[in-house]
Amino acid sequence: TSAFLDVQTYSPAHEYPQLALLEGVLLKARPERRTRRLLETLFRRSGIATRFMALPDFAPDADPVLYREPGVEPSTQARMRLFAELAPQQAVGAARPLVERHGVAARITHVVTSCCTGFVAPGWDLAVIEALGLPETVGRVHVGYMGCHAAVNALHVAHAFALARPDALVLVIANELSSLHFNFSDRIDNLLSCTIFADGAAAALIGGEAWREHARAELGGFRSQRVPGTAALMGWRIGNVGFEMDLSPELPDSIERFVADPEIASALPPAGEVQDLVHAGGKAILEAFAKGRGTGPDGIRYSFEVLERNGNMSSGTILFILSRWLDDLHGLPAAEAYAFGPGVVAERFHV
């Protein structure tokens, strides 16, 4: 195992109650009556109370910075220009308090990042290195465009560095700006994206053997498993007006069957003996996982809490959930974390 020292979450400045955000989306989209009714239903049944975004665009009196004209979709170029501006701010917002709290800037050996909502080179990881005064020799790895499970892959990379080098101290940052890719066409996939996705970042410190006495937990047990026959159920493509999401309504049932499969279930820790931490991909996803696992909603309550408070922040979400569990002094002493992404691929680890 590697040493999991700590985690820090960051939410951007603009907090939207879910139903107020619905009104903002309706003003931008100006949908037809049938689409409007569908959007209203999706928002009200989402299980989300609030979401945080880096954009002020959906407030009633906002001076919009991206979605300026109702019914007009911003270009991908316009969205990526904003990504280049906002991504470093959000990443530093998560990493700075963590690094300063532990006083370890000079001892960080690697930075591992994950993001699927934008591209810029040099990457926003360099902005973090400069802002925090990390060593010029720090190693860098970026896990890009792997979707909602990418933070697990980033943790796995950090874990490998920590096992290979006893003095390794790896800063992991998952950083997403999903609100840059809202698309107001009447495709159900796009409507779902507007309903659940949000912005946020999270940072974690993973250490080798030399850091074990400073750890809040131990990290290990990484596993990856493709869910057969599901490649078309979830996708993420670059279009001319943002990144286009494919989300099939068959996805929750596929996850339920996967988790309940006897061969898969036999490889998992017994339900109830460890805390299940599941990426908050949406209310239907969480309900399907809980049903397949046989735990009921309370068995993944931290996931439901993060979904309600923050929505789906793509790769960073699992670190928000992990942080919530670590801060709960009355929770189970060990956890199994799960995230699902395009493929469909299930990634998990033990902490």
Side-chain angles (χ1 to χ4, degrees):
T1 60
S2 57
F4 189 96
L5 275 68
D6 206 356
V7 61
Q8 176 72 45
T9 62
Y10 174 86
S11 296
H14 303 287
E15 179 179 357
Y16 294 96
Q18 180 76 332
L19 295 185
L21 186 56
L22 168 62
E23 295 304 315
V25 168
L26 291 174
L27 286 173
K28 298 295 181 185
R30 294 188 174 176
E32 296 179 354
R33 182 177 298 178
R34 183 184 67 85
T35 304
R36 181 187 181 97
R37 288 200 300 267
L38 180 55
L39 262 175
E40 290 173 344
T41 299
L42 290 171
F43 268 75
R44 294 179 189 280
R45 295 181 179 177
S46 65
I48 298 171
T50 54
R51 283 186 278 166
F52 294 83
M53 296 180 186
L55 302 180
D57 296 36
F58 301 101
D61 56 349
D63 182 14
V65 297
L66 181 61
Y67 304 104
R68 297 180 184 275
E69 299 180 47
V72 177
E73 299 286 1
S75 68
T76 301
Q77 181 185 56
R79 299 170 196 250
M80 291 300 92
R81 283 175 177 164
L82 266 178
F83 178 86
E85 174 188 338
L86 297 172
Q89 298 174 18
Q90 201 164 260
V92 172
R96 188 191 296 278
L98 177 67
V99 171
E100 291 184 350
R101 181 162 68 244
H102 292 272
V104 293
R107 300 184 66 183
I108 289 176
T109 57
H110 304 80
V111 175
V112 180
T113 53
S114 70
C115 182
C116 69
T117 49
F119 300 95
V120 62
W124 48 264
D125 55 345
L126 287 181
V128 173
I129 291 169
E130 292 179 1
L132 274 57
L134 305 188
E136 296 291 336
T137 55
V138 70
R140 300 158 53 225
V141 175
H142 182 62
V143 178
Y145 216 59
M146 292 190 76
C148 292
H149 63 51
V152 182
N153 304 91
L155 288 171
H156 197 175
V157 172
H159 173 70
F161 282 140
L163 293 184
R165 180 175 164 181
D167 68 333
L169 182 60
V170 188
L171 174 63
V172 175
I173 310 171
N175 183 24
E176 304 286 6
L177 287 157
S178 304
S179 68
L180 297 183
H181 301 290
F182 285 176
N183 185 301
F184 304 120
S185 75
D186 58 2
R187 286 183 66 233
I188 184 65
D189 312 68
N190 293 330
L191 299 181
L192 281 169
S193 297
C194 293
T195 302
I196 63 173
F197 282 103
D199 302 337
L205 286 170
I206 313 300
E209 184 63 34
W211 294 94
R212 194 166 300 278
E213 65 181 280
H214 304 285
R216 295 182 68 183
E218 294 186 355
L219 195 64
F222 287 89
R223 296 289 186 273
S224 181
Q225 175 72 53
R226 191 172 67 85
V227 183
T230 59
L233 301 188
M234 188 192 307
W236 192 225
R237 295 170 286 108
I238 301 175
N240 291 330
V241 288
F243 298 178
E244 300 170 359
M245 173 64 72
D246 292 324
L247 282 173
S248 170
E250 299 175 19
L251 183 60
D253 287 343
S254 295
I255 289 176
E256 179 186 336
R257 289 194 298 270
F258 173 76
V259 175
D261 180 271
E263 184 176 348
I264 298 297
S266 66
L268 302 178
E273 292 188 10
V274 299
Q275 179 65 54
D276 286 342
L277 308 175
V278 185
H279 166 72
K283 183 180 178 183
I285 297 289
L286 294 181
E287 289 175 342
F289 182 96
K291 185 177 179 182
R293 187 84 158 110
T295 61
D298 192 59
I300 54 171
R301 61 189 178 91
Y302 301 101
S303 301
F304 277 107
E305 289 171 4
V306 169
L307 179 68
E308 180 181 21
R309 175 62 175 153
N310 299 89
N312 180 348
M313 299 162 286
S314 192
S315 71
T317 312
I318 194 66
L319 291 174
F320 276 72
I321 297 165
L322 179 57
S323 175
R324 205 172 188 92
W325 169 70
L326 285 170
D327 288 342
D328 185 356
L329 299 178
H330 304 291
L332 291 169
E336 195 78 9
Y338 307 80
F340 299 87
V344 169
V345 176
E347 299 281 353
R348 64 184 175 96
F349 63 95
H350 188 79
V351 63

